[in-house]
Amino acid sequence: MDHELEIATLGGGSFWCLEAVFQQVHGVRAVESGYTGGYVHHPTYRQVCEGDTGHAEVVRLTFDPATITFREILEIFFSIHDPTQLNRQGNDVGLQYRSIIFTHSEAQRAVAEYVMGELVANKVFDAPIVTQLEPEQPYWRAEMSHQNYYQEHPAQGYCAFVITPKLAQFRRDFSHRMRR
């Protein structure tokens, strides 16, 4: 039932990477690439990539919390990007690639703080976590050419060399969370 679904908005590098993984997660009903966290209305991909809008590339997930919890979504999120890199993921550099969680409720904020605290306490990463936590902000859907990007272009260089390894890691580490 739609009234029981929740929204999660996550940024961790290129939205193409996050989209490709979360489209395979059981319990995630919809994944949409977009922009949030900036100050320009209806930004374009070009504007965001130029770094002048303040936006992050994000995915907006619609998920069924009876099937997958927000905590489990965050566990996947922290495993498929490096939350210790400030404003970058690999060769993708700029504010638009920052690690960020836009929370949609106080409960989500509490879960995110708890999960991040566990990662620090368990010394999962060798460097400090720089993932930002902010309340949801105006969100803009990315252009159609950026939706389902990996599905449409799996042989494209970025997809083959950056996204495919992330998908392999997800499949290895979270096979129990994959759509059947």
Side-chain angles (χ1 to χ4, degrees):
M1 302 182 79
D2 286 348
H3 68 279
E4 296 177 7
L5 299 179
E6 290 186 26
I7 302 291
T9 304
L10 308 169
S14 169
F15 46 33
W16 298 339
C17 295
L18 297 177
E19 178 191 64
V21 169
F22 282 109
Q23 285 177 329
Q24 297 190 14
V25 175
H26 180 63
V28 173
R29 300 275 184 90
V31 181
E32 182 179 271
S33 293
Y35 317 108
T36 192
Y39 46 84
V40 173
H41 291 290
H42 301 285
T44 65
Y45 182 72
R46 172 170 282 185
Q47 288 174 311
V48 172
C49 285
E50 289 172 356
D52 296 329
T53 69
H55 289 87
E57 287 191 15
V58 298
V59 289
R60 179 161 277 195
L61 313 175
T62 303
F63 68 99
D64 180 353
T67 305
I68 186 166
T69 65
F70 185 62
R71 177 192 173 93
E72 292 167 319
I73 285 172
L74 292 181
E75 289 170 355
I76 294 168
F77 171 70
F78 282 111
S79 76
I80 61 172
H81 86 290
D82 183 349
T84 69
Q85 292 190 354
L86 184 62
N87 299 332
R88 77 176 300 150
Q89 287 297 302
N91 291 329
D92 293 329
V93 179
L95 186 64
Q96 68 270 26
Y97 301 117
R98 66 191 181 268
S99 178
I100 189 163
I101 301 166
F102 290 94
T103 57
H104 292 262
S105 66
E106 283 302 315
Q108 280 190 356
R109 183 174 188 82
V111 169
E113 288 172 343
Y114 186 81
V115 168
M116 289 169 56
E118 280 185 327
L119 294 170
V120 170
N122 294 327
K123 299 179 180 170
V124 173
F125 300 101
D126 293 332
I129 293 173
V130 296
T131 303
Q132 298 172 336
L133 269 178
E134 293 190 18
E136 69 173 311
Q137 296 180 23
Y139 166 83
W140 312 101
R141 186 177 196 274
E143 298 85 343
M144 282 304 298
S145 61
H146 297 289
Q147 307 301 326
N148 301 306
Y149 194 83
Y150 181 80
Q151 289 177 4
E152 308 253 339
H153 309 282
Q156 188 258 5
Y158 187 90
C159 293
F161 294 107
V162 176
I163 301 174
T164 296
K166 286 180 187 270
L167 281 170
Q169 178 184 345
F170 164 72
R171 291 176 184 140
R172 184 181 60 248
D173 297 345
F174 293 95
S175 60
H176 64 288
R177 283 274 149 232
M178 289 184 60
R179 291 179 190 253
R180 305 278 179 240

